[in-house]
Amino acid sequence: MIRAGLKQLCADTGATVLEADGGEAALALQKAERPQLTILDLNMPGISGLELLRQLLETDSAARVL
């Protein structure tokens, strides 16, 4: 429910919203799309949010992550 709410809130501002249902999918999406902002959950399926954050910053040190 939280992910759906955040997606709708961001879409209502005119933002293009991409979403992933787990850590591995989020990492692949980040590499392919290079979004302006990534919103993570600490308790994602697969790769944890903290591990994903570490990997994202290794790939792109300028990534903006919330």
Side-chain angles (χ1 to χ4, degrees):
M1 286 181 54
I2 294 171
R3 186 173 85 196
L6 283 172
K7 178 182 179 180
Q8 188 62 50
L9 180 66
C10 292
D12 287 349
T13 68
T16 300
V17 179
L18 308 170
E19 64 180 308
D21 61 358
E24 291 86 358
L27 186 59
L29 196 57
Q30 175 79 18
K31 289 178 180 178
E33 298 294 331
R34 307 295 258 200
Q36 292 180 353
L37 175 66
T38 301
I39 301 173
L40 297 179
D41 183 351
L42 292 177
N43 297 313
M44 293 185 295
I47 301 172
S48 74
L50 288 176
E51 176 60 22
L52 180 56
L53 174 61
R54 185 187 68 72
Q55 290 185 32
L56 290 176
L57 293 176
E58 278 182 5
T59 303
D60 180 3
S61 63
R64 297 186 327 186
V65 182
L66 176 64

